[in-house]
C-alpha cells in the first residue's frame, strides 16, 4: 500500500512538472520564439496627436522653417481608458517611426538612422524610460527631432505622420497628419 502511494505521488509530481514545462511564460522582451503570444492591449485606448515645433523648451508650435532650422515634433498621447498606461520609449528611434512625404513620395531615413534601426536594439516591452498616461488626459510623450531621422530637409512642403509601436512586430498606433514647409 505504501509502495502504491509513493508511486502515485511520484507520478503526480512528474505530471505537474511536465505540464509546467509545456506552458511557456510570456517573455517581457517580446521574444516570441520562447514565449507564448499574449495580445498587448495597451494601444487600444491610445490616440496620438503630433504638432511641429521649433526652438528649445517650451517648443512653440510652428509650421514654417528655414532650411537651417531644426524641425521637431511634439508627440501627445491621449489615453481613453480607465487605467493609467505606461508606454516605453528607450529612444525615439526604437518606438517612434515617422513617415515624411515630399511631393507625393515617402522619404527614406538617413543612412545613419538606417544603420541604427537595422543593427541595434529591437523594440522591447522593457525600456529604460517611460511615459505615464493617466486616463482621459492629453500628455506629452516625446519630442522628436526630424534631422535625426532624415538629415537636412530640402525646401518643400511636407506631410508628416507618426507610428508608435510597443515592440518589433507589435501593435502600432498612428497619429494625425501635419503639414509644414521648409523654405530657403
Amino acid at each position: 500500500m505504501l509502495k502504491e502511494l509513493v508511486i502515485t505521488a511520484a507520478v503526480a509530481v512528474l505530471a505537474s512538472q511536465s505540464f509546467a514545462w509545456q506552458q511557456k511564460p510570456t517573455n517581457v522582451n517580446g521574444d516570441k520564439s520562447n514565449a507564448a503570444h499574449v495580445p498587448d492591449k495597451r494601444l487600444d485606448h491610445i490616440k496620438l496627436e503630433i504638432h511641429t515645433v521649433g526652438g528649445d523648451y517650451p517648443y512653440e508650435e510652428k509650421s514654417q522653417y528655414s532650411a537651417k532650422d531644426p524641425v521637431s515634433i511634439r508627440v501627445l498621447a491621449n489615453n481613453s481608458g480607465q487605467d493609467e498606461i505606461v508606454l516605453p520609449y528607450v529612444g525615439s528611434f526604437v518606438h517612434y517611426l515617422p513617415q515624411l512625404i515630399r511631393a507625393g513620395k515617402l522619404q527614406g531615413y538617413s543612412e545613419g538612422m538606417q544603420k541604427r534601426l537595422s543593427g541595434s536594439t529591437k523594440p522591447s516591452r522593457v525600456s529604460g524610460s517611460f511615459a505615464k498616461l493617466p486616463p482621459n488626459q492629453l500628455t506629452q510623450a516625446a519630442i522628436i527631432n526630424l534631422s535625426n531621422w532624415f538629415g537636412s530637409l530640402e525646401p518643400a512642403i511636407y506631410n508628416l505622420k507618426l507610428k508608435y509601436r510597443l515592440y518589433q512586430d507589435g501593435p502600432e498606433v498612428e497619429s494625425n497628419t501635419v503639414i509644414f514647409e521648409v523654405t530657403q
Side-chain angles (χ1 to χ4, degrees):
M1 175 84 163
L2 181 60
K3 189 175 187 180
E4 291 174 3
L5 185 60
V6 170
I7 291 173
T8 304
V11 168
V13 168
L14 288 174
S16 68
Q17 286 178 345
S18 174
F19 179 72
W21 176 77
Q22 290 173 356
Q23 292 180 333
K24 293 182 180 177
T26 301
N27 190 332
V28 295
N29 70 5
D31 184 2
K32 295 177 190 165
S33 63
N34 63 2
H37 179 67
V38 176
D40 196 322
K41 301 284 188 192
R42 282 183 283 179
L43 294 183
D44 290 355
H45 299 286
I46 301 298
K47 182 178 179 188
L48 291 184
E49 184 178 307
I50 61 172
H51 301 272
T52 50
V53 295
D56 292 323
Y57 184 81
Y59 306 104
E60 294 185 26
E61 286 192 34
K62 191 173 177 178
S63 62
Q64 190 172 36
Y65 301 83
S66 74
K68 63 182 179 183
D69 290 339
V71 179
S72 296
I73 55 174
R74 177 184 318 214
V75 182
L76 302 170
N78 187 20
N79 168 12
S80 64
Q82 295 180 356
D83 299 318
E84 180 179 77
I85 296 175
V86 178
L87 294 182
Y89 62 95
V90 168
S92 61
F93 74 96
V94 174
H95 298 285
Y96 295 101
L97 300 171
Q99 296 179 320
L100 187 63
I101 297 173
R102 183 182 78 201
K105 294 185 179 179
L106 185 64
Q107 302 299 293
Y109 297 144
S110 68
E111 187 176 318
M113 184 55 71
Q114 288 177 24
K115 286 180 183 176
R116 200 171 184 183
L117 286 170
S118 68
S120 64
T121 311
K122 292 182 180 178
S124 70
R125 293 183 187 187
V126 177
S127 293
S129 300
F130 300 90
K132 292 183 180 182
L133 306 178
N136 299 308
Q137 185 176 332
L138 200 57
T139 305
Q140 181 170 305
I143 298 287
I144 298 172
N145 186 331
L146 293 182
S147 65
N148 294 337
W149 287 87
F150 302 101
S152 298
L153 297 179
E154 296 177 14
I157 294 176
Y158 293 89
N159 292 328
L160 172 72
K161 66 180 169 182
L162 182 73
K163 287 186 178 183
Y164 174 88
R165 61 186 179 169
L166 289 169
Y167 47 89
Q168 186 172 357
D169 300 325
E172 294 179 347
V173 64
E174 198 171 283
S175 75
N176 58 308
T177 300
V178 294
I179 299 171
F180 66 93
E181 180 178 18
V182 176
T183 62
Q184 300 275 5

